[in-house]
Amino acid sequence: MSFSLKDDKKHNPQKEAEKIVIKAQHKSEDLLVEATKEAEIIIGQTKDFRNELQSKMRDDIAYQTQQFAQSYQQFLPEIKKYYQQGIDAQLQAVKAQLDEAVVEIKNSLKTKVEEIQTLLKNQTIQELTSVQNELQAYKKQQMSEIDAKVRNTVKAASLEVLGKSLSISDHQELIVQAIEKAKKDGIFVK
Amino acid sequence: MTLTPITDLLVTKQDVENLCLQLDRLIDSLMSGTGTFGDKSSDTLEPDYQAAIMMLIKTNNIDESRNVALNEFLNKLKSDLRLIPVLNITVPVRLKKTVIHQIAGDLYHILNEKMLLNVYVDEDIIGGAQISFNGRFKDYSIRKDVEAHL
């Protein structure tokens, strides 16, 4: 649309403007209505699409879930078997380690027992030897004491008998004999 | 100096010690108081010793009136008596003097020498004797024989 100065003299510009505005308003209203209609169509289409999409997605999800469930059901025994094998292997390894440890402990205990046996044996031998030595010493001492007692008893008895049986003349004779022996032994040599 | 008259009376070391004590008293009496030597010797010496001393004085021509000569003689006698050898003998029983004299006689015959006896008693030796002379010792006791056989 174009306006000129000639027209401005003939037409009221304000009215023209108002007309234009009104016209534009009508136009825009028309456009808005149309756009609204189209939008409503689009919205309706969109709702349908959405519903369809939702439905499709639900179906897909259900399908996928079913597929996953089936797959899981199929895969579960394998996982179970896998882990069971792992656990068995671990148990086997632990058992082997335990067996090894038990053998090691048994050997260690055997060695310790042998050491203690040897130690006890040596101690027993030492103590036995010590006791034997002490017994030997005790026996020797006792024999020595008995011997001394016997000697003393015999000596005392002998001396008592001899002492009582000697007269003064016997004593005198023995004293003179002692002097004679002393002379023979060189006691009086100057 | 010959000592024979007096040594015949001396058997033990104790006899000599006893005589020397009497001689000391006689020597002391010479220097004090009055009286003859015969009186003084009678007062201080046992009769047997006094008789033997008087005999020795005569034998040795000592003037009884001269105290100095007597003093010298008596001191010389003491010294000579202490030179007589001594035999230490241990016996098992206490012996009578007569028995000791007999043993001393036997000792003289065996050794042909005058020797004094110094007698000890030890009952433990039972019999025989232990003899010690001039630093030498011998045990001839029965105890030793018994011990040797045990």
Side-chain angles (χ1 to χ4, degrees), chain B residues 68-80:
Chain B
V68 174
L70 286 170
N71 192 344
E72 186 182 343
F73 168 76
L74 293 173
N75 278 309
K76 177 75 169 61
L77 176 61
K78 274 174 57 185
S79 299
D80 288 350

Side-chain angles (χ1 to χ4, degrees), chain B residues 98-112:
Chain B
T98 51
V99 176
I100 292 175
H101 276 248
Q102 288 171 3
I103 291 171
D106 290 333
L107 176 64
Y108 182 78
H109 286 300
I110 292 167
L111 301 177
N112 201 23

Side-chain angles (χ1 to χ4, degrees), chain A residues 151 154-155 159 162-163 166 168 171-172 174-176 178-183 185-190, chain B residues 87 89 91-93 95 99 102-103 106-107 110-111 113 126 128-129 131 133 136 138 140 142 146-147 150:
Chain A
R151 282 165 60 115
V154 172
K155 181 181 161 186
L159 295 179
L162 284 169
L166 291 173
I168 290 295
H171 281 300
Q172 186 176 343
L174 287 170
I175 291 165
V176 173
I179 293 169
E180 286 172 339
K181 285 179 187 172
K183 184 188 176 188
D185 290 340
I187 291 280
F188 303 109
V189 175
K190 291 180 181 173
Chain B
L87 172 67
I89 185 165
V91 297
V93 290
L95 300 172
V99 176
Q102 288 171 3
I103 291 171
D106 290 333
L107 176 64
I110 292 167
L111 301 177
E113 179 186 354
I126 307 302
I131 291 172
F133 179 75
R136 302 186 192 98
K138 277 281 183 180
Y140 302 104
I142 288 178
V146 170
E147 285 176 345
L150 287 176

Side-chain angles (χ1 to χ4, degrees), chain A residues 78-91:
Chain A
E78 287 181 17
I79 292 171
K80 194 177 171 184
K81 188 181 175 185
Y82 172 78
Y83 282 107
Q84 189 63 50
Q85 284 176 344
I87 289 165
D88 289 345
Q90 289 292 323
L91 284 173

Side-chain angles (χ1 to χ4, degrees), chain B:
Chain B
M1 182 193 299
T2 174
L3 302 174
T4 307
I6 191 74
T7 53
D8 288 345
L9 302 172
L10 301 171
V11 174
T12 66
K13 187 182 176 187
Q14 289 71 28
D15 291 340
V16 171
E17 295 300 327
N18 188 31
L19 174 58
C20 286
L21 284 173
Q22 294 177 35
L23 289 174
D24 285 337
R25 283 199 290 269
L26 178 57
I27 291 166
D28 289 342
S29 70
L30 291 177
M31 304 303 167
S32 61
T34 56
T36 63
F37 176 75
D39 293 336
K40 289 178 178 176
S41 61
S42 295
D43 291 343
T44 54
L45 301 175
E46 288 178 25
D48 289 345
Y49 292 153
Q50 197 258 349
I53 296 290
M54 295 304 287
M55 193 180 294
L56 275 175
I57 285 173
K58 282 181 182 172
T59 309
N60 288 280
N61 296 317
I62 305 298
D63 186 352
E64 290 182 32
S65 61
R66 291 183 63 233
N67 284 341
V68 174
L70 286 170
N71 192 344
E72 186 182 343
F73 168 76
L74 293 173
N75 278 309
K76 177 75 169 61
L77 176 61
K78 274 174 57 185
S79 299
D80 288 350
L81 288 174
R82 288 202 165 105
L83 291 175
I84 300 171
V86 177
L87 172 67
N88 295 300
I89 185 165
T90 302
V91 297
V93 290
R94 189 167 293 282
L95 300 172
K96 289 182 178 176
K97 200 168 185 179
T98 51
V99 176
I100 292 175
H101 276 248
Q102 288 171 3
I103 291 171
D106 290 333
L107 176 64
Y108 182 78
H109 286 300
I110 292 167
L111 301 177
N112 201 23
E113 179 186 354
K114 176 64 184 179
M115 198 172 280
L116 297 170
L117 291 171
N118 188 19
V119 182
Y120 298 94
V121 177
D122 180 1
E123 294 178 358
D124 287 345
I125 69 170
I126 307 302
Q130 292 174 330
I131 291 172
S132 172
F133 179 75
N134 211 18
R136 302 186 192 98
F137 174 83
K138 277 281 183 180
D139 189 349
Y140 302 104
S141 69
I142 288 178
R143 183 177 68 182
K144 191 191 175 191
D145 287 343
V146 170
E147 285 176 345
H149 286 90
L150 287 176

Side-chain angles (χ1 to χ4, degrees), chain A residues 27 53 63 70 89 139 144 147 159 162 164 175 190:
Chain A
K27 188 72 178 175
L53 187 64
Y63 177 75
Q70 285 178 351
K139 187 180 169 186
S144 177
D147 192 42
L159 295 179
L162 284 169
K164 284 180 179 172
I175 291 165
K190 291 180 181 173

